[in-house]
Amino acid sequence: MLSASFAQTAVHPCASYATAQHRHQISIRSVRICSCCTNLERLRPPTSTQFKRRKLRRLHGRRHPTACASVQVERPGTPVDRRGFEWATNVSRHGNVYFAVDETSQACLASMGDSAAEPTVALIFASSSYSVEFDRIIPVLRSKVPSLQHIIGCTGFGVIGGSAEGPQEVEGGEAALSLTLGVLPGVQVAAHHISNEAVPDADSRQEAWQELMQAPIDLPPNHSTSFVVIADPTFHRITDLMAGLDYAYPEAAKIGGFVSSATQTARRALFCWSAGASQSEDGIVKGGAAVLSLQGPLKIEPIVAQGCRPLTQDSIWLVEKSENNIIMQVRGVDQPSWRSIPPLAALQLDLNNLKDTDDRQDVSNNLTLAVAPDDFKDESQLDANDFLIRGIIGMDPKVGAIAVGETVGVGKRIRFMVRDKEGAKQDLQNHAFAYKRRELQASMEGKSPGQAFGALIFSCNGRGRNLFGEPHYDSRKIAEFIPVPSSGFLCNGEIGQIANSTALHGFTCAVGVLRLSPADDD
């Protein structure tokens, strides 16, 4: 019987544990946790079966070659009829918050094709270096762009925004402010601050969620609902919020991340402001989550790269015995006649298939587990976006069991993964190629997915320069395949959809591609 200490679970999804091989057994040696989980400790999704999920559609885009990324120009001098839609982003490294907001707002407005454009939506991300001036950011922005009706944003370990050289990721507390301005005609926009107390109970009806979000569930044809969620790390009901939104708005996209800062002791801030709402003039809210809802002739296509590569390409295992988050017996999905074996034995078989003996030790130090939430999709059709990555948080060599940071039921399909620099690069590349394949397939079938006009990037603060050894890797790799204005920040944990449900992630690059609905595309 497993000991009580073994059965206790660290539930943050980013936990990864170093292991060592000894006499053909894998045993726990040390623990390595990504910096994004230092102040999160409650992130296992609820197990209630009452929340229903549905499939999401996916889509594409283009970028403006000026100092402030914008979508109004497809190539220099050639205007595009966007029916009034505008989306522009810029990043400033000015050390004074007034001049940083002024610089970014002026650049965004100047890059818009319509000189009379009046942006109503803004997303703003700031580094911790402005901590003594956080309360000035929203008032200054509103004075520079008085047409704004909704603003959300936060501080970040790093911020992402447009520049003449392409997307920039300014990391580690260096002074930087990223601003995105949008003109979205025909789109109903709302910005809400959701506290722990405001989240409905798990058994609440759809109407409770509709009332909370002030967003109707039934929409006209070619209209969609999308949510951008930015949460404070102390918001302990985040999984309830995500599960409830999945239940009430099953076809809506949800993307976002957790507020971060340059260091654990640095001040952080969450911004949420709407014209006419009862709130602080500085737009700073305490705890909870800032949620931006978009309803109309646009949609957000989520792309969630979890930073892992398969330990072996073809090895998928079926769980035959488990208890909560502890897996006790598995067998190969393509070997129905096999007897079940302990998961540690399955892991050893996969490790034995590695040709490079040096690589074997490297991967054992960075192992994670992937779980396929969809029980019915054929194995041959499973791809990277069908697996949810969770950390291996314990091993028992005596019985060969493995504990992971997620409840894993009997019948679930799992595979062992490696989380490292090469895995992160390979995974992001695979998602980018899959995006282009979907785009090409839609074109060959004569279907217009709608033109992309922007991207929001929520990348783990454990990625960036420290992982890749070079700056701007995630944002510029995305821009290679999806050349649209992009902005975002380096998070303390990411929010994105896997197999029809929204989950919390670590070490992940979660991207939301904004796209016009087909009927509104030229």
Side-chain angles (χ1 to χ4, degrees):
M1 185 173 180
L2 301 179
S3 66
S5 60
F6 178 84
Q8 292 178 349
T9 61
V11 294
H12 189 270
C14 190
S16 61
Y17 287 74
T19 58
Q21 290 179 279
H22 180 65
R23 296 180 183 176
H24 306 290
Q25 291 182 329
I26 307 293
S27 60
I28 260 306
R29 186 177 68 183
S30 62
V31 176
R32 300 193 311 122
I33 301 180
C34 170
S35 59
C36 77
C37 35
T38 53
N39 55 359
L40 299 173
E41 37 180 54
R42 73 290 162 218
L43 301 185
R44 183 187 301 162
T47 58
S48 172
T49 59
Q50 61 186 305
F51 295 121
K52 300 178 181 178
R53 325 287 199 216
R54 295 181 189 167
K55 298 271 185 186
L56 298 170
R57 302 185 180 94
R58 310 183 187 269
L59 309 160
H60 119 121
R62 271 205 207 278
R63 190 174 83 78
H64 185 286
T66 69
C68 177
S70 168
V71 290
Q72 188 60 35
V73 176
E74 192 165 289
R75 58 180 187 274
T78 305
V80 177
D81 178 12
R82 299 204 53 81
R83 304 189 182 182
F85 276 77
E86 302 273 3
W87 193 263
T89 176
N90 182 253
V91 64
S92 171
R93 298 192 183 208
H94 204 290
N96 179 283
V97 74
Y98 178 89
F99 292 109
V101 173
D102 180 65
E103 181 180 309
T104 54
S105 59
Q106 294 286 352
C108 287
L109 290 171
S111 74
M112 290 183 171
D114 183 357
S115 59
E118 295 189 340
T120 57
V121 182
L123 292 95
I124 192 162
F125 304 105
S127 71
S128 301
S129 64
Y130 301 117
S131 60
V132 297
E133 298 181 290
F134 283 163
D135 59 351
R136 296 186 62 200
I137 292 177
I138 301 303
V140 172
L141 176 58
R142 290 174 53 204
S143 71
K144 298 297 179 181
V145 191
S147 58
L148 287 174
Q149 299 293 305
H150 308 283
I151 306 170
I152 70 165
C154 66
T155 57
F157 172 82
V159 304
I160 303 170
S163 73
E165 295 76 29
Q168 295 222 356
E169 299 173 25
V170 187
E171 304 178 44
E174 180 182 346
L177 184 142
S178 168
L179 175 65
T180 300
L181 297 179
V183 180
L184 307 174
V187 177
Q188 183 176 344
V189 182
H192 303 285
H193 174 232
I194 309 296
S195 65
N196 284 310
E197 296 75 22
V199 178
D201 294 334
D203 58 353
S204 297
R205 298 171 61 88
Q206 281 186 321
E207 289 77 10
W209 292 97
Q210 182 174 338
E211 181 179 353
L212 174 69
M213 304 311 303
Q214 298 177 21
I217 294 173
D218 297 322
L219 298 177
N222 295 318
H223 283 220
S224 303
T225 300
S226 300
F227 296 106
V228 179
V229 181
I230 302 174
D232 188 86
T234 62
F235 183 43
H236 65 264
R237 297 202 64 189
I238 181 63
T239 51
D240 295 332
L241 175 62
M242 292 297 96
L245 292 180
D246 280 347
Y247 165 65
Y249 303 90
E251 296 185 357
K254 299 96 180 174
I255 198 80
F258 284 85
V259 179
S260 62
S261 56
T263 65
Q264 292 186 34
T265 57
R267 187 183 170 203
R268 63 177 185 262
L270 176 64
F271 305 113
C272 185
W273 178 88
S274 284
S278 176
Q279 63 213 334
S280 167
E281 286 298 308
D282 61 17
I284 298 176
V285 294
K286 295 183 179 180
V291 182
L292 184 71
S293 65
L294 305 172
Q295 291 192 304
L298 67 76
K299 59 175 63 179
I300 291 180
E301 176 184 13
I303 301 172
V304 182
Q306 299 176 80
C308 292
R309 57 186 170 93
L311 179 58
T312 59
Q313 288 299 322
D314 303 318
S315 181
I316 299 178
W317 302 90
L318 184 71
V319 176
E320 295 218 317
K321 184 180 180 182
S322 67
E323 181 180 328
N324 296 321
N325 66 311
I326 301 170
I327 304 172
M328 301 174 182
Q329 293 286 317
V330 300
R331 67 168 174 81
V333 294
D334 56 349
Q335 300 290 342
S337 61
W338 278 21
R339 63 179 178 83
S340 61
I341 59 176
L344 279 184
L347 174 58
Q348 188 63 58
L349 289 174
D350 283 354
L351 287 170
N352 290 341
N353 288 330
L354 296 177
K355 296 180 180 179
D356 190 337
T357 55
D358 294 332
D359 185 51
R360 188 176 302 174
Q361 184 59 51
D362 292 337
V363 301
S364 67
N365 290 336
N366 296 283
L367 285 170
T368 61
L369 194 79
V371 183
D374 189 337
D375 297 332
F376 303 104
K377 193 170 186 178
D378 188 82
E379 282 79 20
S380 63
Q381 301 297 318
L382 292 173
D383 59 27
N385 207 41
D386 292 314
F387 285 93
L388 179 63
I389 306 298
R390 287 297 183 246
I392 296 175
I393 65 174
M395 299 180 178
D396 188 337
K398 292 182 179 180
V399 298
I402 290 178
V404 298
E406 177 83 8
T407 298
V408 182
V410 172
K412 289 295 181 184
R413 291 169 294 182
I414 63 172
R415 68 188 311 178
F416 295 102
M417 308 289 286
V418 180
R419 176 169 274 164
D420 57 10
K421 173 182 175 179
E422 293 308 313
K425 285 188 171 184
Q426 178 181 320
D427 185 45
L428 189 60
Q429 182 96 340
N430 289 344
H431 278 80
F433 276 123
Y435 175 91
K436 301 307 288 186
R437 281 195 300 270
R438 292 194 299 271
E439 186 177 70
L440 178 60
Q441 182 178 356
S443 298
M444 293 177 65
E445 294 174 352
K447 301 176 181 177
S448 170
Q451 183 174 345
F453 62 90
L456 298 173
I457 301 176
F458 303 94
S459 186
C460 180
N461 60 17
R463 294 171 68 104
R465 192 192 298 266
N466 287 334
L467 174 67
F468 298 112
E470 58 182 285
H472 326 303
Y473 184 85
D474 281 333
S475 57
R476 294 196 176 176
K477 178 60 66 174
I478 292 297
E480 288 179 16
F481 291 86
I482 313 171
V484 296
S486 58
S487 61
F489 73 106
L490 275 64
C491 313
N492 211 12
E494 300 72 56
I495 298 168
Q497 290 161 293
I498 297 292
N500 311 328
S501 62
T502 307
L504 308 174
H505 306 275
F507 211 75
T508 292
C509 179
V511 182
V513 182
L514 289 88
R515 182 185 301 278
L516 290 176
S517 296
D520 289 81
D521 189 37
D522 294 323

